[in-house]
Each structure stands twice: as C-alpha cells, then as structure tokens.
C-alpha cells in the first residue's frame, strides 16, 4: 500500500530536484516548424498509400478486395517502408543541421534541411542565403577498388576547393564519398574551405559518416562522380 | 498534507485558442517549462529532457486541432511526452535525440540540493522506463492510479504494485546515500 507521507515527500524531493533547471528558450517556433513537417510527411504517407493501391490496380490486379488479395496490406507495407525511409532521412538531416549549427562559424545564422533532398541545407551566412551540401554517397564499385579505402577508419582527403563562389571539402571514407560544399550561384561565399573541413574533425560528424556509410540514404554516384551543383535553387 | 489527484491542480493556467497557430504558441510557451521538468525526471539529464520537450511540442502541433480542443490540453501533452519517452527508449534513440538541439547546450540545474538531485536521479535511473514513468506521473504529476493506467495502457493493479515497489526502492536508495525523503 502506498504511504501518503512518502508520496508527498517524494514529490517534494522531485520538486527540489527540478527547481534549479534553467528556463528554456522559446520552443514554440521550433515546434511549429517541426510540426508542419510532420503534418506534411503524414499527408505524403497517405498519398503514397493511395498511389500504391492505384499502382497495384494499374498492373492488372483488381482493386476490389477478394479472397487471398490484401490490397490494404500491400499499401500499408509500401507506406511503412516509405515512411521509415523518410523518417531516417529526416532524422539524419536534423542531426546534421544541429551539428552544423554548432560547428560552423557564428556568421552562419540559419541552417534548414531541404525537404526531399537529403544532402542539402539552406543556410544563411552574413544575412545572405546559400545552399550547403553535406553528402555521404556510395561510390561505384570500381572506385572503391581504386581508392583502397574500404577499411579506413579516418577520412581520406580527396580535394579542397576554395574558390570565391564555391567552397568544398571532399573525402573518401569506406565505400562512400563525403562532400561538404557551399555553392554561391555566382555570389561570393563568405566562408572558407577550412570552415567546412573543421566540421569533419568533430567525432560526432564521424559518427554520422559511419552510420551513412553503413546504411546509405543517397543513391550510388554515377561513374566519375565528383563535385556537383546542388539540386536546390536559391 | 493530502495529495491531490486532480490533474488540473498542477496544470499551467492556459487559455487555449482552439486550433490556431497563435493558440498553440501561447500554450507551448506556458507549458514548456512544466513539461521540461517532467521530461527531466523521466530522462535524467537536461539536454535529453529539452529534446524530449521539443519533440513533444512538435507532435502536439501536428495534432493541435484535436489537442487544443481537448478539455485539458496539458494532460494531452503529458500523454504525448510520456509515450514519446517510452517509445524512444525502446528504439534506443537517446543518442539520436541528443543531436536534435536547435540552440546551445542546456546547462545542468543549479547546484542547490545537488546531493538530493544526483541521488534521486540515480535512483530513478535504476527503475525500468515504464516504472519510472509511473512514478513520475503518479507522484510528480499527481495523476490518479486510473489516469496512469489509462495513459500507459495497463491495469490499475499493475500501476499500484509497480509504484509501491518503486517507492520502496527509492526510499532505500536515498537512505543508503544518507538522504531521506524527509530532508528539508
């Protein structure tokens, strides 16, 4: 049986334990932003399920339930797989954005993942918008053989680019090509390539790279794949 | 002192503009610190608690039309918080959550009552996640046995027995550390 005095005293102890917590910053704007993303994902999932059902119909199968045909089950399966993949991509982007937020210079004031482009982020530097790429992309099998990096435990530098309107740091790791770049679309980028390479020295970034090397979120690069422009336009 | 079992007694005073973004933001600002404290007792560290609070508010926004129209939106938020805590524990996402901060590192609480804080959190950490959630909801949030059972989708008998066992363990752990629940 519960002892009423103990309950009261435990509550008091919990009260005192949490009393010293600092006040939080305003979380409402983050919640609205993230909540909207969640709503959009949920709507997309419903659309994907509907598409799955229609695709089954288009293949000549009946849309009407019949014994032994579980159309809803197929749609749910497609939905679940697509949703799981989207969740993984979204979480990866959130983790990467949080890390960039911490590791890039203070003049980078805003970092937002681009929805649907797992390797791209909208960033604001000195008040101006740019597209940043943080990509861990599987290399072609022949390149993996050439680079002898499959068992590497560190990033192997491939190239550092420090042009006025394009900054990039590119590496090989395991079976992947790791790229950090900022494309200015003709505008000078107020960052240095070493600002990008500094990110890669953080062990948390290496954890992200290892995870994506083991479980890629991007398709294998084409032969000769190297630095490319981001897909997202400003 | 009697323990109130009325959840409204601990609810922040929030006038909710049902369904609107402005209503949500007003609610979030009023409730976030209280949710953060509950999250801290569930997670045991300030940073993870902050991430859990953020995730909870985002999920709440996703379903705000329904949540905002509920009799007690804060109770709804607590349900989301607890279930998110439990599901993410199950999925082993603690490390993942740690990296989803949008601001700087959350500092640890001030040093007041440091011994009590460390010991209580260590003792809570020894409880399985569901038992810990039961203790926090029952004793910190003042929820009735029936409410906790509904929220955690288990029987009232389970809540009673788990809480009783957990309370006994906490009492022993605090006493072992030279602290007692009666410390002032």
């Amino acid at each position: 049986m519960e002892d009423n005095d103990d309950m009261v005293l435990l509550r008091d102890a919990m009260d005192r334990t949490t009393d010293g917590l600092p006040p939080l910053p305003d979380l409402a704007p983050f919640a609205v932003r993230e909540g909207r993303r969640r709503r959009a994902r949920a709507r997309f999932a419903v659309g994907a399920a509907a598409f799955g059902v229609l695709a089954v119909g288009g293949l000549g199968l009946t849309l009407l339930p019949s014994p032994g045909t579980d159309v809803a089950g197929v749609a749910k399966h497609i939905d679940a797989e697509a949703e799981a993949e989207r969740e993984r991509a979204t979480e990866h982007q959130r983790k990467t954005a949080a890390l960039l937020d911490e590791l890039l210079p203070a003049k980078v004031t805003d970092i937002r993942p681009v929805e649907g482009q797992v390797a791209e982020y909208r960033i604001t530097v000195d008040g101006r918008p740019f597209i940043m790429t943080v990509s861990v992309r599987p290399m072609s099998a022949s390149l993996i053989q050439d680079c002898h990096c499959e068992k590497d435990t560190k990033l192997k530098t491939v190239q550092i680019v420090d042009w006025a309107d394009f900054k990039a740091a590119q590496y090989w790791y395991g079976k992947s090509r790791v790229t950090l770049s900022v494309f200015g679309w003709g505008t000078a980028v107020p960052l240095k390539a070493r600002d990008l390479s500094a990110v890669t020295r953080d062990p948390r970034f290496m954890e992200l790279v290892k995870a994506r090397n083991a479980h890629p979120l991007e398709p294998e690069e084409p032969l000769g794949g190297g630095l490319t422009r981001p897909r997202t336009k400003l | 002192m009697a323990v109130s079992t009325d959840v409204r007694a601990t609810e922040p005073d929030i006038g909710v503009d049902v369904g609107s973004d402005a209503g949500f933001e007003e609610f979030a600002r009023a409730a976030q610190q209280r949710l953060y404290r509950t999250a801290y007792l569930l997670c045991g560290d300030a940073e993870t608690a902050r991430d859990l609070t953020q995730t909870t508010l985002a999920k709440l926004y996703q379903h705000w039309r329904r949540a905002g129209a509920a009799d007690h939106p804060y109770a709804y938020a607590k349900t989301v918080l607890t279930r998110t805590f439990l599901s993410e524990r199950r999925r082993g996402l603690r490390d993942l959550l740690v990296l989803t901060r949008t601001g700087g590192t959350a500092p640890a609480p001030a040093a007041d009552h440091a011994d009590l804080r460390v010991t209580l959190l260590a003792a809570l950490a020894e409880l399985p996640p569901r038992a810990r959630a039961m203790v926090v909801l029952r004793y910190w949030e003042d929820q009735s046995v029936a409410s906790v059972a509904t929220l955690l989708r288990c029987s009232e008998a389970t809540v009673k027995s788990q809480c009783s066992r957990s309370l006994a363990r906490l009492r022993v752990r605090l006493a072992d550390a030279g602290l007692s629940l009666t410390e002032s």
Side-chain angles (χ1 to χ4, degrees):
Chain A
M1 182 181 288
E2 289 176 332
D3 179 328
N4 210 39
D5 284 344
D6 270 354
M7 287 167 64
V8 174
L9 295 167
L10 178 59
R11 181 162 190 220
D12 180 55
M14 289 172 161
D15 225 346
R16 281 185 280 151
T17 296
T18 57
D19 258 350
L21 281 169
L24 285 173
D26 183 4
L27 299 182
F30 165 84
V32 169
R33 232 175 23 243
E34 179 58 22
R36 280 189 183 135
R37 271 192 215 119
R38 284 173 176 273
R39 277 185 188 168
R41 282 204 301 272
R43 277 198 292 270
F44 185 81
V46 170
F51 175 78
V53 172
L54 288 174
V56 170
L59 288 170
L61 302 173
T62 176
L63 284 172
L64 296 172
S66 61
T69 306
D70 186 357
V71 174
V74 172
K76 272 184 190 164
H77 182 68
I78 293 168
D79 179 22
E81 278 193 341
E83 180 60 17
E85 188 68 6
R86 273 192 301 278
E87 286 285 344
R88 277 205 314 141
T90 302
E91 289 300 340
H92 167 76
Q93 283 190 300
R94 286 174 57 191
K95 288 166 71 175
T96 305
L99 205 50
L100 294 174
D101 189 30
E102 197 177 315
L103 299 175
L104 287 173
K107 60 185 168 184
V108 180
T109 51
D110 190 27
I111 299 163
R112 291 161 193 259
V114 174
E115 199 164 344
Q117 297 296 340
V118 70
E120 295 181 10
Y121 302 81
R122 290 182 188 279
I123 65 172
T124 304
V125 192
D126 283 346
R128 279 176 290 161
F130 295 94
I131 301 297
M132 179 167 186
T133 299
V134 181
S135 162
V136 184
R137 190 168 185 180
M139 295 186 288
S140 61
S142 58
L143 188 54
I144 295 170
Q145 283 180 344
D146 290 347
C147 76
H148 303 294
C149 43
E150 198 163 1
K151 291 181 181 168
D152 278 357
T153 53
K154 290 180 180 172
L155 295 174
K156 188 181 278 184
T157 304
V158 177
Q159 56 181 330
I160 302 289
V161 179
D162 214 349
W163 299 337
D165 64 346
F166 183 53
K167 314 286 177 181
Q170 196 169 66
Y171 309 86
W172 286 332
Y173 178 85
K175 296 176 284 185
S176 307
R177 185 193 296 272
V178 180
T179 305
L180 293 89
S181 65
V182 182
F183 198 79
W185 299 102
T187 306
V189 177
L191 286 171
K192 295 186 177 352
R194 67 166 177 263
D195 294 329
L196 305 181
S197 54
V199 171
T200 66
R201 287 193 284 276
D202 191 284
R204 290 169 294 175
F205 182 79
M206 279 309 298
E207 288 306 310
L208 283 175
V209 171
K210 283 177 191 168
R212 294 289 68 84
N213 181 61
H215 304 287
L217 288 170
E218 297 174 60
E220 185 178 299
E221 67 181 17
L223 276 175
L227 292 170
T228 54
R229 291 181 173 196
R231 287 170 177 269
T232 307
K233 294 269 170 56
L234 284 174
Chain B
M1 193 201 295
V3 174
S4 164
T5 53
D6 182 355
V7 69
R8 284 166 293 188
T10 57
E11 229 176 286
D13 182 18
I14 302 155
V16 176
D17 179 6
V18 176
S20 74
D21 275 15
F24 170 78
E25 290 189 19
E26 187 188 350
F27 171 83
R29 289 187 183 109
Q32 66 172 33
Q33 196 68 19
R34 174 78 192 183
L35 289 170
Y36 181 40
R37 292 177 77 168
T38 303
Y40 183 61
L41 290 168
L42 289 171
C43 304
D45 78 85
E47 290 175 6
T48 312
R50 175 174 153 162
D51 295 329
L52 179 59
T53 309
Q54 281 185 343
T55 304
T56 298
L57 290 173
K59 285 184 175 180
L60 202 65
Y61 178 84
Q62 188 185 354
H63 303 290
W64 182 239
R65 279 194 195 90
R66 194 170 53 206
D71 286 344
H72 303 295
Y74 183 70
Y76 196 104
K78 259 185 317 196
T79 302
V80 173
L81 180 94
T82 310
R83 288 186 181 161
T84 302
F85 163 73
L86 290 173
S87 66
E88 289 183 347
R89 280 293 146 132
R90 271 198 298 274
R91 288 161 58 196
L93 289 182
R94 185 184 172 283
D95 291 340
L96 187 151
L97 275 170
V98 166
L99 281 165
T100 61
R101 286 190 297 281
T102 54
T105 303
D112 293 348
H113 313 300
D115 287 349
L116 176 65
R117 176 170 58 81
V118 170
T119 309
L120 179 64
L121 291 177
L124 285 171
E126 287 177 5
L127 301 176
R130 275 177 75 80
R132 183 172 185 161
M134 284 178 191
V135 166
V136 172
L137 291 170
R138 181 84 182 96
Y139 304 129
W140 162 253
E141 288 286 0
D142 253 358
Q143 296 238 27
S144 67
V145 170
S147 300
V148 177
T150 304
L151 199 157
L152 295 176
R153 298 178 180 125
C154 62
S155 71
E156 291 186 24
T158 302
V159 174
K160 280 183 190 167
S161 64
Q162 288 262 7
C163 281
S164 175
R165 220 174 300 153
S166 301
L167 194 59
R169 280 174 71 173
L170 291 172
R171 197 186 296 126
V172 169
R173 285 286 283 111
L174 291 172
D176 285 350
L179 297 163
S180 80
L181 290 173
T182 55
E183 187 194 52
S184 58

